[in-house]
Amino acid sequence: MKIAGLIVVLLCGCLLIYGTVDFPEWGDPASPASTHVSPYYIETTMEDTSVPNIVTAVLADYRGYDTMFETIVIFCAGIACIFLLRTYTHQAPETRLYRHIPTGIILRIKKGGKLPEDSTDFERVDLQWVPYDLIIKTACRVVVPFVQLFALYVIAHGHHSPGGGFQGGVILGATLILYAISHDLRTTIKRMSEKAVILLSAAGVFIYASTGALCLLFGVNYLDYSGLAAILGVDPVSARSHGILIVEIGVGVAVMAVMVSLYYNLSSVGKQDEGL
Amino acid sequence: MIQQLPAIIVVFPLVMSFFVVVTGLWSKRICFPLVVTAISVCVLSAGIILSSVINQGPIHYWLGGWQPPWGIEYFVDHLNAFMLVAVSLLSLLVAVHSKRSVEQELPEKRSQFWSLFLLLITGLLGITITGDMFNLFVLLEVASLSGYALIAMGQKKAVFASFRYLVMGTIGASWYLLGVGYLYIITGSLNIANLSELLPHMYQSKTVLVGFAFILVGIGIKMALFPLHAWLPDAYTYAPSAVSTTVAPLMTKVMAYVLIRVIFSVFKPYFSIEEIPATTILAWMAAVAIVVGSIYAIAQTNLKKMLSYSVVAQIGYIALGIGLANRFGLTGAVLHIFNEIITKGCVFAVAGAVVYKKSACNTRELENLYRKMPFTMLAFTVGAFSMIGIPPTLGFFSKLYLILGSIDAKQWVFVGILLFSSILNGVYFFRIIQIASFETPMPDYSRGTPYEKVPMDEAPLSMIIPMQIMAAGILIAGIFSADIVSTVIQYVIPEGF
Amino acid sequence: MVDREKQYSHQKQSQPESNQSSLKIPPTKKSRTPFLLTFFVAFATWIVLSGKFDLFHLTLGIISCLIVASFSGDLMLSDTRKKGLPYQWLLFIQYLPWLLYQVFLANIHVMYLVFHPKMMELIDPRIIRFKSRLNREMSHLIFANSITLTPGTITVFVSIYGDYAVHAIDEKCGQSLPGEMEKRVAKILGE
Amino acid sequence: MTWQLDHIILSLVIILALGAITVKDLLGAAILFGAYSFMMCLLWAIMGAVDVAFTEASVGAGVSTVFFVAAVFRTTRRTKD
Amino acid sequence: MNIVSTILLICGLLFFTGGAVGIIRMPDFYSRLHPAGKLDTMGILMTMTAVALYNLHDFSIGTVLSSLKIILIVAFLFITSPTATHAIVDAGVRAGLGPWTKEETKEENDLAT
Amino acid sequence: MDTVFFYSSIYLSIIMAISLYRAVFGPTILDRLIGVNAIGSKTTALLVLIGLIYHRVDLFIDIALAYAMLNFIAVLAASRYFQKRKGLYDETPRD
Amino acid sequence: MNDLVAVLISKYNYWVYIILMMIGFYAIITKKNLVKKIIGMNIVQTAIILFYISIGAKKGATLPIISHGHDAVGHAVHASDYINPLPHVLMLTAIVVAVATLGVALALAIKIYRQYNTLEEDEIHTRIREQ
């Protein structure tokens, strides 16, 4: 098996090397890839969209349709993960650990025992429970707001510096993951419930798709943000720039929600009670 | 508004899929009507697009208002438009058909199911309509990802089958992407129309050759062409019946459509016929696929598994038609794509109905089925006839064109294989029909009354009607196949054939 | 080695007054101070990050800061007492140069160890335990991280009652703990 | 001008890829895969693809490693190859 | 200014070297963390200061802000790096990894001889 | 000055290869984790240096900052595994 | 000989991407462990991304972010000054697709582990046969 695999792989590699022979030189400014389509983007971005970051402009405007489906792919993964893993059937509660908050005593409640579910004196803790780690928790609490602010900054400044909706969304999702890692999954779910996550992921993608659809109402093609000029009250070029920003916000929201939902489901196998 | 239809046909089900998820949080009952509305809009707009293409010629739609080599273009010609109608119509029928079986198999996750279903349809419609190589990749991933998830929720073995599908599918998509990269490095363009203008100057280049090979292999994996079909049978067999009814007719056929696009639109036909013997290799692989698929299908005892192997064989037919690379062959291939979509939809829908009633579809469960579920089996009989190629059905005509094409190409082996495979098809479909028509297979003498009357136990109406429509569609399309060829398919044939 | 049983037993001891600060009970009355403080700190950070002072970007900044403050305003400053906050920051900034100096010393020491050819003979890893009198989360954080940054020591374990276990790379490093650093940290947060 | 740096990082990438698939422990493989994506991020920064580098930094470091660890946590670390 | 930042940069690289060599040379997990956790933080502090100083040579509000951002990275690392080190140590303790001490090696040597 | 930055970044990448030794061959997983952590902190510095080589340091700072933040998360997640599964070599059976 | 070295150096990126592709592909084919397969899959995807980014590289050009920003609409922008942005855009999409695939693949792997209590392919096959 291994040798057969190696042979297949080597054959594939030889084919690839064979194809490499006619490649243009690495970094050649006169190669077809650099001379056919891309000069148009580089030279007209400022006039068309007034966005200095060419990648953002191409991503969200010239090829905005790709990006919409990229967001859909992420959304699809989120839904797929919920579809595959989430368990809704409530089994009889297994063994659970509770901490009595005023005294710090840990109670182990076996199957069938009475659960102090609604009491404020008790706090549920994970079965594979880690004692209160002061340093990590406090450090994460200090760090999380800054990282969130940074993520929002990345989303908002996608026009001028690297970054944009996707990167910011991932970082924003990562802060919630960080919170979940440093505290535990239930605390995070209290802060951001599962319903909210699903709603946000759909809302983010909806912002993108409906921004495009709004353009249809003004008689221009789908995703042609210059049609939004009438609503936004600016000239078509700035309308494109603002359209890109709106779309990036949609991407950010969707990606954040999906990343969080993926983490919720992967780390708890769909039970969403205790995680990593 | 009519100019905007190419965008609406893809975006409307997309937006609906978000609504389905969100409404599913509160009420699962609204999901299904939303789905039907979404797909109905698709059918409607696909119909309008088809008529306008037939009357006014191909449509170019620039997304974002950017001109093609820079922006993304939707390009709708006769082939696309007809594919759009077929895909959306079939998905509407399947959606109605699978309402009950979804309620039975996945009661709690209906909203996610329908959302993923809509995303799958969106992906397939998008693949069909797009005119951009990279956009095709992204849409392909949308369709595939939702497909993986949907397949995995079937029986116990489905998860592992779906995992294998995922791994192979990702390799296929990656190779497609790699091939597109090879074309991009040498031309600098991603638009199909633009590529077909730029490429002819570079047919000698090794890069183009390797890129072409990788695109072919990538699509081959996705469409389960013979040596690369390993993922298909398990995945389609163990999937939930609603999913196999959707994925089996549509997924591989849409990829076959992409294959036609790549070979005849992106590249000029003489490249794949004369510069490299791609079509010849394809034809021979297809011939092997037909024989092997049919033989495997005979050996199966599970109806769905048999049909899955039949998919492998039928993909062989389509690939053979493409590989013959002449007028009749290509006509046969396109006609067979339509035939496959509608017939496989019909046959898998029957399997779904049987699973709904009997919760399995092994050979034992099929006994006495003509008595128990007469309407269902009527549809199955029509579908089986079309698979075998018995005259008034569409399958007969598509095979006829394929045979004519083989004769035209003077490939007598292929003629033999086509005829032989029809016999093989006959063997396995007639075996099912025979089993299903047994009066009482194992007379139960212990009870004293050997010929007990079998009660009728038909599937619900929401399943029967779509199946009957599909069966009728097979016959009608068969009768009017000459019209289909003259209004649609003759424009598909590239120049020089 | 940290004795795991001991950790658990610490949890079980009941010390209500320090529990109030460290074990989170849902706060009964909502104070607006954390929200405002987070907002202003976030806005200052935004200014540094953004570097754009036109109205559009500043509006975006205010919206972002509002989102952050409303979403996680209770995280960063849950433990800070209202009085004398600017003064604390001043003290913290005063603390930094000393810390940097200590960190520098630590690094020179570790560098010396690393590049010494007879390193194996010089180092003598051990775990040191002591009890600190700090009792607030933030001061524990600062103290523990300072320990980790300074001469040859790494905080292995801190309990909420101030029991420290520290891994020291040689004998000399561990001797100075808790020592001066604790006093300075205590001074910052006014303990 | 930066090709030397490019080559060094490329070589490190290959080592890490080999490491990630040969390690006989899934958690180790996940961690090494994280390091692999760090290197990829660096590589793209060197080639001037800032946005891609940013994406890879956020995805590779922040999310995909965590997903791998979560998946390994919920399954097993054992592997035969 | 250039000279100062070059010197700082070289110092930083020296610290990085120390960290890397220390990771290789140290005998056990806990002692490896000393160079990894400390020297790298110091190295980053040095290099970032060098870059921030160098960045200031054409003085404008933009460069000042980007230098401040660089300082922000350092500040951030001063919170996270010790925390990460602590997390790793804690993981080691909970995983049951005993620290290497001199006594053990001595005993082993005694046994060997 | 450019050459200084260029050679220091090359030097840094070579140092990175040394830490890589620990990451690839480390006897235990925690050693690998240390190696990866060390690589991460060097990467942060290297990113800024590359920014200087391109004369666009303001763009690269964002990446470095994001990097510093997210590397922390990855290390925390990996060490969290050991805090919950208390076995370094063999693991306790699932709940 | 010098030519060979020149080719080796000038197309180093392409060689490395081929090697990475082969490594990933090898892992997918021969490794029995599902998570290893997923890692191999990801390596293949990153290899392709490396290939695309190498296409976009341009000697003597700077980052695809126009440096003088808003105040220079009259300022002519020359295409040769900036790196080709299109491959970057495409690859952003490809990275996102890779993450999405990773999420679904890991979910499937977890589900498989729940069912068969193993992640090794051959053991799963024997368990399937036993059922």
Side-chain angles (χ1 to χ4, degrees):
Chain A
M1 184 64 195
K2 280 200 171 152
I3 294 168
L6 203 62
I7 290 168
V8 171
V9 168
L10 285 177
L11 276 177
C12 171
C14 290
L15 191 63
L16 287 170
I17 291 171
Y18 177 72
T20 315
V21 174
D22 282 352
F23 275 10
E25 197 86 346
W26 183 73
D28 181 13
S31 66
S34 312
T35 50
H36 180 55
V37 172
S38 68
Y40 177 83
Y41 295 136
I42 296 169
E43 282 163 8
T44 58
T45 307
M46 281 310 277
E47 297 156 30
D48 284 346
T49 62
S50 81
V51 173
N53 187 345
I54 307 170
V55 175
T56 304
V58 178
L59 185 78
D61 198 350
Y62 294 96
R63 296 186 72 87
Y65 196 64
D66 268 355
T67 312
M68 186 172 99
F69 275 98
E70 162 202 317
T71 323
I72 304 296
V73 169
I74 278 284
F75 173 73
C76 190
I79 299 292
C81 208
I82 295 172
F83 183 61
L84 288 172
L85 287 177
R86 186 83 176 95
T87 44
Y88 290 107
T89 41
H90 277 285
Q91 297 124 349
E94 308 132 22
T95 313
R96 285 182 176 183
L97 291 183
Y98 281 89
R99 175 161 54 203
H100 186 233
I101 294 170
T103 58
I105 294 171
I106 305 295
L107 301 174
R108 175 181 287 271
I109 295 173
K110 290 258 170 64
K111 208 170 199 169
K114 198 167 158 250
L115 302 172
E117 199 66 77
D118 290 329
S119 161
T120 50
D121 289 349
F122 287 94
E123 179 195 38
R124 199 178 150 198
V125 291
D126 288 359
L127 278 177
Q128 285 157 332
W129 168 63
V130 184
Y132 194 84
D133 192 321
L134 189 141
I135 299 177
I136 294 178
K137 279 189 187 174
T138 319
C140 287
R141 290 231 310 256
V142 173
V143 162
V144 162
F146 287 106
V147 184
Q148 278 173 344
L149 186 77
F150 178 70
L152 291 173
Y153 155 77
V154 169
I155 295 179
H157 287 246
H159 289 27
H160 305 277
S161 55
F166 183 72
Q167 293 90 332
V170 170
I171 298 174
L172 208 53
T175 56
L176 279 166
I177 294 176
L178 174 62
Y179 189 72
I181 288 173
S182 63
H183 292 67
D184 57 12
L185 194 64
R186 278 182 308 280
T187 338
T188 321
I189 289 180
K190 260 180 219 152
R191 199 162 270 270
M192 188 138 187
S193 71
E194 197 203 355
K195 267 189 183 181
V197 168
I198 295 175
L199 206 63
L200 278 179
S201 62
V205 197
F206 182 71
I207 289 173
Y208 204 134
S210 63
T211 312
L214 206 60
C215 303
L216 291 181
L217 295 182
F218 292 92
V220 288
N221 278 1
Y222 190 72
L223 284 176
D224 190 344
Y225 309 124
S226 61
L228 298 177
I231 304 181
L232 298 171
V234 285
D235 56 311
V237 173
S238 313
R240 283 190 182 277
S241 165
H242 291 317
I244 290 173
L245 182 66
I246 295 169
V247 158
E248 295 267 20
I249 290 170
V251 175
V253 171
V255 169
M256 183 270 280
V258 169
M259 289 301 156
V260 173
S261 123
L262 279 178
Y263 176 77
Y264 281 2
N265 284 309
L266 284 179
S267 69
S268 67
V269 202
K271 285 193 208 134
Q272 305 212 346
D273 54 351
E274 21 189 275
L276 184 65
Chain B
M1 212 60 191
I2 285 178
Q3 298 91 26
Q4 310 289 356
L5 279 180
I8 289 171
I9 193 175
V10 177
V11 172
F12 196 76
L14 190 64
V15 174
M16 275 305 184
S17 77
F18 317 146
F19 279 116
V20 168
V21 168
V22 172
T23 50
L25 291 176
W26 284 280
S27 158
K28 292 197 168 57
R29 283 167 179 237
I30 314 171
C31 297
F32 180 70
L34 284 177
V35 172
V36 172
T37 327
I39 303 178
S40 306
V41 170
C42 285
V43 174
L44 210 68
S45 38
I48 298 171
I49 290 174
L50 179 64
S51 71
S52 95
V53 167
I54 288 173
N55 294 329
Q56 292 154 19
I59 301 173
H60 294 267
Y61 185 83
W62 298 346
L63 285 154
W66 299 108
Q67 230 181 331
W70 297 290
I72 294 168
E73 179 199 30
Y74 269 177
F75 174 67
V76 194
D77 63 0
H78 293 79
L79 180 58
N80 285 19
F82 204 66
M83 279 298 282
L84 283 178
V85 173
V87 170
S88 52
L89 203 59
L90 189 92
S91 51
L92 180 64
L93 293 176
V94 171
V96 175
H97 174 269
S98 42
K99 177 176 184 271
R100 297 292 289 270
S101 72
V102 172
E103 279 169 10
Q104 188 195 41
E105 285 176 39
L106 303 160
E108 282 179 330
K109 295 182 174 172
R110 265 181 284 164
S111 62
Q112 287 101 323
F113 174 87
W114 286 119
S115 170
L116 286 172
F117 182 85
L118 279 178
L119 287 172
L120 176 70
I121 301 300
T122 311
L124 293 173
L125 288 172
I127 294 172
T128 318
I129 202 171
T130 191
D132 190 279
M133 292 295 262
F134 190 79
N135 197 231
L136 203 155
F137 164 76
V138 181
L139 288 158
L140 183 62
E141 282 294 331
V142 173
S144 314
L145 268 184
S146 42
Y148 306 143
L150 288 171
I151 285 171
M153 282 309 274
Q155 302 161 24
K156 254 197 153 181
K157 293 176 190 170
V159 189
F160 187 57
S162 166
F163 187 84
R164 283 176 60 188
Y165 180 24
L166 186 143
V167 171
M168 287 200 73
T170 311
I171 298 175
S174 306
W175 281 6
Y176 173 80
L177 186 58
L178 190 65
V180 173
Y182 271 63
L183 298 187
Y184 176 71
I185 196 173
I186 202 99
T187 61
S189 175
L190 290 167
N191 188 277
I192 289 180
N194 197 7
L195 273 176
S196 69
E197 285 167 20
L198 291 169
L199 275 174
H201 311 293
M202 308 167 182
Y203 280 161
Q204 260 64 41
S205 163
K206 298 178 181 84
T207 308
V208 173
L209 179 66
V210 174
F212 182 64
F214 271 94
I215 291 180
L216 279 198
V217 176
I219 297 173
I221 290 175
K222 283 277 184 188
M223 71 183 262
L225 196 59
F226 163 64
L228 311 167
H229 70 281
W231 56 269
L232 187 137
D234 278 357
Y236 285 7
T237 309
Y238 303 123
S241 47
V243 178
S244 50
T245 321
T246 326
V247 175
L250 294 179
M251 197 78 167
T252 45
K253 276 62 177 189
V254 169
M255 290 318 292
Y257 155 80
V258 175
L259 188 68
I260 293 180
R261 264 289 126 106
V262 169
I263 291 183
F264 296 114
S265 298
V266 178
F267 293 87
K268 292 269 184 287
Y270 72 81
F271 173 72
S272 39
I273 298 166
E274 285 154 23
E275 300 274 333
I276 52 165
T279 48
T280 321
I281 296 170
L282 195 66
W284 281 102
M285 269 159 61
V288 179
I290 295 170
V291 176
V292 174
S294 305
I295 290 172
Y296 267 110
I298 290 177
Q300 302 306 322
T301 55
N302 184 317
L303 178 61
K304 270 170 100 177
K305 200 151 198 171
M306 190 197 91
L307 294 176
S308 311
Y309 275 106
S310 163
V311 170
V312 176
Q314 304 291 327
I315 284 294
Y317 284 111
I318 299 168
L320 180 64
I322 299 166
L324 287 172
N326 55 27
R327 195 179 182 87
F328 285 123
L330 195 55
T331 313
V334 176
L335 206 58
H336 203 77
I337 289 179
F338 300 138
N339 175 33
E340 259 292 278
I341 289 180
I342 191 157
T343 314
K344 270 280 151 22
C346 178
V347 187
F348 266 99
V350 170
V354 173
V355 172
Y356 177 72
K357 275 287 160 197
K358 309 260 173 189
S359 74
C361 56
N362 290 322
T363 328
R364 282 194 65 83
E365 321 286 337
L366 299 173
E367 286 162 357
N368 263 330
L369 221 54
Y370 271 99
R371 279 297 177 86
K372 287 180 193 161
M373 308 167 79
F375 295 107
T376 313
M377 289 314 283
L378 181 69
F380 182 78
T381 315
V382 175
F385 280 5
S386 178
M387 284 284 166
I388 300 161
I390 288 174
T393 56
L394 186 55
F396 169 73
F397 294 99
S398 59
K399 274 191 191 172
L400 189 67
Y401 278 109
L402 287 175
I403 290 174
L404 285 176
S406 315
I407 293 170
D408 226 26
K410 304 210 169 43
Q411 296 278 11
W412 305 108
V413 184
F414 294 154
V415 180
I417 283 173
L418 285 168
L419 293 173
F420 176 60
S421 76
S422 292
I423 298 171
L424 290 179
N425 282 352
V427 171
Y428 58 79
F429 276 108
F430 276 123
R431 194 170 53 109
I432 298 289
I433 292 173
Q434 182 202 12
I435 291 169
S437 60
F438 266 142
E439 192 71 14
T440 309
M442 298 262 279
D444 192 0
Y445 291 107
S446 60
R447 291 218 189 138
T449 49
Y451 294 104
E452 206 173 343
K453 195 151 170 48
V454 181
M456 197 165 121
D457 188 19
E458 187 50 274
L461 208 61
S462 70
M463 289 184 155
I464 292 176
I465 291 174
M467 285 190 288
Q468 299 302 330
I469 293 174
M470 285 183 225
I474 295 170
L475 290 172
I476 294 168
I479 292 163
F480 291 102
S481 62
D483 292 324
I484 297 176
V485 172
S486 64
T487 49
V488 178
I489 299 178
Q490 63 159 330
Y491 299 103
V492 177
I493 314 294
E495 296 159 28
F497 272 18
Chain C
M1 261 322 287
V2 176
D3 192 356
R4 206 171 296 151
E5 282 307 309
K6 208 173 170 190
Q7 284 170 223
Y8 282 89
S9 65
H10 275 305
Q11 294 286 340
K12 282 169 192 162
Q13 285 171 10
S14 87
Q15 291 190 352
E17 61 281 347
S18 64
N19 274 327
Q20 287 300 322
S21 65
S22 52
L23 293 170
K24 286 279 291 176
I25 299 174
T28 44
K29 58 166 186 172
K30 264 196 169 175
S31 159
R32 201 168 287 169
T33 330
F35 177 84
L36 287 175
L37 272 173
T38 316
F39 179 79
F40 286 119
V41 172
F43 198 68
T45 321
W46 176 275
I47 297 279
V48 173
L49 283 173
S50 163
K52 295 212 183 324
F53 302 106
D54 52 312
L55 193 66
F56 181 66
H57 284 98
L58 282 181
T59 320
L60 280 179
I62 288 172
I63 294 169
S64 308
C65 294
L66 281 176
I67 293 172
V68 170
S70 59
F71 193 76
S72 46
D74 55 334
L75 285 180
M76 186 167 55
L77 298 157
S78 63
D79 192 28
T80 316
R81 283 157 211 178
K82 284 178 198 168
K83 268 186 261 173
L85 206 74
Y87 185 59
Q88 282 182 10
W89 279 97
L90 212 68
L91 284 172
F92 183 67
I93 289 164
Q94 273 183 4
Y95 172 68
L96 279 179
W98 183 80
L99 180 68
L100 277 179
Y101 175 65
Q102 291 292 319
V103 170
F104 192 72
L105 284 185
N107 284 291
I108 298 292
H109 183 68
V110 177
M111 282 275 276
Y112 171 74
L113 283 178
V114 164
F115 285 112
H116 200 283
K118 289 178 186 167
M119 176 197 74
M120 294 300 273
E121 290 164 23
L122 282 177
I123 62 170
D124 182 15
R126 59 187 59 210
I127 284 188
I128 300 162
R129 293 161 193 285
F130 60 88
K131 189 154 171 56
S132 159
R133 60 191 176 83
L134 302 169
N135 62 1
R136 288 174 53 192
E137 284 184 6
M138 198 56 85
S139 43
H140 276 305
L141 174 72
I142 294 171
F143 186 42
N145 279 357
S146 308
I147 288 175
T148 308
L149 285 170
T150 45
T153 45
I154 291 178
T155 317
V156 175
F157 168 73
V158 185
S159 83
I160 46 174
Y161 313 109
D163 296 288
Y164 276 70
V166 172
H167 183 270
I169 197 147
D170 59 9
E171 207 173 347
K172 193 187 108 198
C173 296
Q175 281 166 353
S176 60
L177 287 171
E180 196 190 351
M181 190 183 283
E182 190 192 4
K183 276 179 215 145
R184 283 178 184 261
V185 172
K187 209 175 115 193
I188 295 175
L189 291 170
E191 285 181 33
Chain D
M1 174 169 139
T2 52
W3 64 268
Q4 296 94 331
L5 197 57
D6 197 24
H7 287 195
I8 294 169
I9 302 290
L10 281 169
S11 316
L12 298 187
V13 161
I14 294 176
I15 295 169
L16 273 170
L18 281 174
I21 66 163
T22 46
V23 167
K24 292 229 185 310
D25 185 323
L26 288 184
L27 190 65
I31 292 170
L32 280 182
F33 187 70
Y36 171 84
S37 63
F38 296 177
M39 287 293 156
M40 275 297 182
C41 160
L42 209 47
L43 198 55
W44 291 325
I46 292 167
M47 286 200 248
V50 204
D51 282 75
V52 185
F54 205 149
T55 317
E56 184 67 27
S58 50
V59 168
V63 174
S64 73
T65 314
V66 177
F67 286 172
F68 264 116
V69 173
V72 173
F73 176 70
R74 280 300 168 190
T75 58
T76 176
R77 260 166 72 193
R78 186 179 64 93
T79 171
K80 281 198 281 194
D81 50 13
Chain E
M1 197 69 109
N2 282 0
I3 295 163
V4 173
S5 53
T6 313
I7 289 168
L8 276 175
L9 195 63
I10 288 167
C11 283
L13 290 181
L14 213 63
F15 280 117
F16 273 129
T17 323
V21 174
I23 290 178
I24 300 290
R25 282 192 70 194
M26 287 286 182
D28 87 318
F29 161 70
Y30 293 95
S31 42
R32 265 172 215 149
L33 267 169
H34 287 271
K38 281 192 254 296
L39 293 178
D40 279 2
T41 319
M42 197 61 196
I44 283 200
L45 175 67
M46 289 281 183
T47 36
M48 292 295 157
T49 319
V51 171
L53 281 178
Y54 174 75
N55 200 32
L56 283 177
H57 73 281
D58 49 344
F59 195 84
S60 75
I61 189 108
T63 53
V64 171
L65 281 173
S66 51
S67 294
L68 270 178
K69 262 199 226 178
I70 296 175
I71 300 301
L72 205 65
I73 296 180
V74 176
F76 200 81
L77 274 167
F78 261 72
I79 303 173
T80 57
S81 169
T83 314
T85 313
H86 167 74
I88 298 175
V89 172
D90 201 36
V93 171
R94 286 189 208 284
L97 197 66
W100 174 88
T101 49
K102 231 165 195 178
E103 282 74 36
E104 279 176 32
T105 348
K106 267 180 198 159
E107 280 167 20
E108 276 169 24
N109 287 344
D110 293 345
L111 284 174
T113 51
Chain F
M1 206 60 194
D2 274 3
T3 36
V4 172
F5 287 127
F6 180 57
Y7 283 109
S8 33
S9 58
I10 285 186
Y11 182 70
L12 208 52
S13 60
I14 291 167
I15 289 175
M16 215 185 256
I18 301 175
S19 324
L20 202 68
Y21 174 83
R22 208 29 96 200
V24 178
F25 298 101
T28 66
I29 299 199
L30 286 165
D31 289 309
R32 291 180 206 280
L33 196 56
I34 295 174
V36 171
N37 194 15
I39 291 176
S41 54
K42 288 177 184 67
T43 309
T44 315
L46 198 48
L47 274 170
V48 177
L49 287 179
I50 293 167
L52 283 176
I53 292 170
Y54 269 106
H55 299 288
R56 303 290 286 274
V57 74
D58 49 329
L59 306 179
F60 279 83
I61 293 169
D62 287 349
I63 306 177
L65 194 52
Y67 201 84
M69 289 165 177
L70 293 164
N71 186 21
F72 174 58
I73 298 179
V75 171
L76 268 194
S79 62
R80 188 72 169 177
Y81 182 95
F82 290 103
Q83 293 173 351
K84 287 215 160 184
R85 288 273 148 86
K86 292 163 181 126
L88 189 60
Y89 300 104
D90 33 80
E91 52 194 29
T92 49
R94 224 177 65 238
D95 48 300
Chain G
M1 189 61 202
N2 274 334
D3 290 354
L4 187 68
V5 172
V7 166
L8 277 181
I9 285 180
S10 70
K11 290 187 178 170
Y12 195 72
N13 276 43
Y14 298 128
W15 310 133
V16 169
Y17 115 78
I18 290 171
I19 292 168
L20 282 180
M21 184 98 191
M22 281 155 69
I23 291 171
F25 196 37
Y26 179 77
I28 293 176
I29 293 178
T30 59
K31 299 284 168 183
K32 296 268 189 293
N33 192 292
L34 300 187
V35 175
K36 281 282 176 71
K37 272 179 195 279
I38 295 174
I39 289 178
M41 214 166 78
N42 257 294
I43 290 176
V44 169
Q45 282 165 334
T46 35
I48 289 172
I49 298 171
L50 173 59
F51 167 62
Y52 268 82
I53 301 293
S54 308
I55 297 175
K58 203 188 273 182
K59 272 180 195 148
T62 182
L63 311 174
I65 295 173
I66 292 167
S67 46
H68 20 264
H70 278 292
D71 47 319
V73 179
H75 218 280
V77 180
H78 297 293
S80 57
D81 291 345
Y82 295 95
I83 295 171
N84 184 356
L86 187 56
H88 301 179
V89 174
L90 305 182
M91 284 313 106
L92 276 176
T93 312
I95 289 179
V96 176
V97 169
V99 179
T101 320
L102 173 71
V104 176
L106 286 176
L108 281 175
I110 289 177
K111 219 167 145 65
I112 289 172
Y113 185 76
R114 289 262 135 169
Q115 239 169 52
Y116 302 108
N117 217 12
T118 177
L119 281 180
E120 305 290 321
E121 203 177 18
D122 43 354
E123 289 174 20
I124 293 169
H125 277 301
T126 50
R127 306 256 160 104
I128 288 178
R129 234 168 279 137
E130 280 164 14
Q131 279 173 6

